[in-house]
Amino acid sequence: MKEEVKKHHGYKKINSFEFKTGDLYYAVQHCSIFVHEKFYHGKRYLKIILSDTYDFTQWRNIFENGNFNFGNTANNLGLTLQRCGLLTEYYWTCSFTYYY
């Protein structure tokens, strides 16, 4: 994500960003990123806002390249629960600041 933020100056929306590994892959995977950049006393100030609708939109293949994929299996469980009305989609945001 740090590399994506460095590419943008001013106030920009980075359309769909994808986390590819780790906890954020399983918890978020895809989100939108907004970056607001200012300079104060020679330092760069970034306000970064992540947002998305937490939902499940597609069925995924649980065997990729012949190997069992836990992430896709978890996604399919979430999609099934959402379609049965046991899981409700919701909109979320997370903001943080970064100085350097």
Side-chain angles (χ1 to χ4, degrees):
M1 184 170 71
K2 193 173 185 179
E3 291 78 25
E4 286 294 319
V5 169
K6 284 183 178 181
K7 291 181 193 175
H8 299 276
H9 303 286
Y11 187 69
K12 306 270 184 176
K13 177 181 179 184
I14 303 170
N15 291 329
S16 190
F17 178 81
E18 180 180 9
F19 294 98
K20 298 194 184 253
T21 61
D23 291 341
L24 291 175
Y25 168 76
Y26 292 107
V28 176
Q29 191 172 10
H30 294 95
C31 66
S32 294
I33 301 177
F34 296 86
V35 178
H36 184 233
E37 176 187 50
K38 289 187 177 183
F39 289 91
Y40 291 111
H41 305 292
K43 289 194 173 189
R44 190 175 194 182
Y45 163 84
L46 297 172
K47 181 174 183 180
I48 301 164
I49 303 168
L50 307 176
S51 65
D52 191 31
T53 299
Y54 186 82
D55 63 349
F56 299 90
T57 58
Q58 64 185 15
W59 193 260
R60 297 185 181 173
N61 183 0
I62 64 170
F63 291 100
E64 284 188 340
N65 302 320
N67 297 315
F68 177 75
N69 185 301
F70 177 78
N72 287 353
T73 303
N75 177 84
N76 293 349
L77 176 61
L79 180 61
T80 301
L81 292 172
Q82 185 174 296
R83 287 182 176 171
C84 292
L86 299 172
L87 186 77
T88 304
E89 64 182 52
Y90 58 91
Y91 183 78
W92 62 268
T93 63
C94 174
S95 64
F96 57 96
T97 55
Y98 182 68
Y99 298 91
Y100 66 98

